[in-house]
Amino acid sequence: MNSKKKCGLVLEGGGHRGIFTAGVLDVLLENNIFVDGVIGVSAGAIHAVNYISRQKGRSVRYTSKYCSDKRYMSLKSLITTGDLFNAEFCYHTLPEEIDVFDNETFEASSIEYYVVCTNVEDGKPFVKKLTSLREKNMNWLQASASMPLVSKPVLCEDDNGKLYQMLDGGISDSIPEEAFRALGYEKNIVILTQPKDYAKKKNSLLPLMKLFFRKNPSLLKTMGERHNVYNQTLRNLEQKEKEGSVLIIRPEASLSAGRTEKDAGKIIETYNEGKKTAEKYLERIKKFLL
């Protein structure tokens, strides 16, 4: 008898557009739908942890409340710390003191959790399994969401004590379904934050990237190819969906929230769009996971 295939969630990023994903995940929580594992990139990685810790509504609650708060995201923070999203506030003060993250439930969960970062030295994706977000583990989550030009690289330590400079996982593997498949996840629900007709274009900021990362030629090469890799990944996913090993969930139209959205109303609207989309897909999700 064949064992049941491992089922996973693959979550792309998109800054504050990712609150769409939080809406989808909250519908899964409302319906007690849990998978074997989750792999997330950037905002996808951030919202995944609240799904695993079963803290429905936490993502939209703190994002809508603090999106215009200068402690959370500001030009002042970028100038003074090198990070548009203030690392101390976002990854320590907020989860430890203000809207407390449930570490105990996260650590007790049977759901495997992986984040994807980009190694600044070689420009390649680095997949890291996390069983806790305490102390230095949080650096991996921060790194996955550290967008180039508006974030400084994050120093991360692997299980052997080796240190790496890491940036946003979306640079090298925006939708890591293949990486998850290589880890044994043969059936995956992929949550995207762009509509079906979206095609990524070459980054208009590449000339500036070349100035900032002139000492990192491999990273620059990855950045230059990102749009081609992303668009090919979408084509591959659509083929896998036809074959039945992937279910794609994405917004029907462009989302109202932007990557660095400061309008709480647009944040909530985008979250509700995620919930509405998930509710439409609910029966398909249940059938897919059987």
Side-chain angles (χ1 to χ4, degrees):
M1 182 181 292
N2 292 328
S3 59
K4 184 177 179 293
K5 292 181 179 179
K6 290 174 75 173
C7 298
L9 287 172
V10 179
L11 313 177
E12 82 162 325
H16 281 165
R17 279 200 321 273
I19 205 67
F20 170 88
T21 299
V24 176
L25 296 176
D26 279 356
V27 169
L28 298 185
L29 285 174
E30 289 169 359
N31 289 274
N32 292 309
I33 296 173
F34 298 100
V35 294
D36 299 306
V38 183
I39 189 166
V41 177
S42 196
I46 287 173
H47 298 310
V49 302
N50 295 317
Y51 167 73
I52 297 171
S53 67
R54 304 193 183 198
Q55 289 177 278
K56 184 173 76 73
R58 182 173 180 267
S59 286
V60 70
R61 182 171 63 241
Y62 73 71
T63 306
S64 60
K65 184 174 183 178
Y66 295 103
C67 62
S68 61
D69 191 315
K70 290 182 179 179
R71 294 174 298 169
Y72 176 81
M73 176 180 65
S74 67
L75 182 59
K76 180 181 178 181
S77 176
L78 179 60
I79 293 170
T80 58
T81 72
D83 293 305
L84 179 67
F85 289 87
N86 186 277
E88 183 62 30
F89 184 81
C90 293
Y91 298 101
H92 297 285
T93 305
L94 185 56
E96 294 169 11
E97 301 173 18
I98 298 176
D99 198 325
V100 178
F101 178 67
D102 187 346
N103 280 291
E104 288 75 18
T105 300
F106 179 88
E107 291 166 355
S109 176
S110 62
I111 300 172
E112 293 186 321
Y113 172 64
Y114 298 83
V115 300
V116 182
C117 304
T118 299
N119 188 334
V120 172
E121 183 177 349
D122 62 16
K124 295 180 179 179
F126 194 111
V127 179
K128 172 66 175 172
K129 182 179 181 180
L130 294 176
T131 57
S132 172
L133 291 179
R134 299 180 198 264
E135 300 176 350
K136 63 184 180 182
N137 291 310
M138 184 62 86
N139 289 1
W140 289 95
L141 184 57
Q142 179 188 342
S144 182
S146 292
M147 298 182 288
L149 298 183
V150 294
S151 309
K152 61 179 183 289
V154 180
L155 191 64
C156 296
E157 183 178 340
D158 70 9
D159 295 335
N160 299 315
K162 186 175 181 180
L163 298 174
Y164 299 86
Q165 292 284 345
M166 296 288 185
L167 275 173
D168 194 325
I171 296 168
S172 56
D173 197 355
S174 297
I175 315 170
E177 198 275 338
E178 275 294 329
F180 217 25
R181 192 169 290 267
L183 290 167
Y185 286 84
E186 299 178 67
K187 290 184 68 177
N188 295 310
I189 298 172
V190 180
I191 304 178
L192 306 178
T193 57
Q194 296 284 10
K196 187 174 176 58
D197 59 356
Y198 175 78
K200 189 176 286 294
K201 298 178 181 178
K202 190 172 184 178
N203 194 329
S204 62
L205 294 176
L206 270 176
L208 191 57
M209 300 278 195
K210 290 177 180 178
L211 178 64
F212 271 74
F213 299 104
R214 57 190 179 278
K215 295 182 180 180
N216 306 104
S218 297
L219 181 66
L220 284 171
K221 183 179 179 181
T222 300
M223 289 173 168
E225 284 297 313
R226 184 186 178 190
H227 62 297
N228 292 326
V229 172
Y230 183 94
N231 294 333
Q232 183 60 53
T233 299
L234 286 180
R235 290 190 288 270
N236 293 343
L237 286 172
E238 287 166 0
Q239 179 59 38
K240 289 176 186 176
E241 186 171 46
K242 291 176 182 177
E243 295 167 356
S245 66
V246 161
L247 175 62
I248 301 172
I249 300 175
R250 51 186 159 194
E252 293 181 356
S254 295
L255 297 168
S256 55
R259 290 182 71 86
T260 56
E261 188 60 61
K262 291 187 175 184
D263 185 329
K266 290 183 179 180
I267 295 287
I268 294 169
E269 182 181 339
T270 298
Y271 169 79
N272 287 334
E273 185 64 30
K275 291 200 72 176
K276 184 174 71 173
T277 301
E279 286 160 359
K280 288 181 180 178
Y281 273 81
L282 200 52
E283 293 309 312
R284 289 179 64 187
I285 292 169
K286 290 177 181 178
K287 184 177 180 182
F288 181 78
L289 293 175
L290 287 176

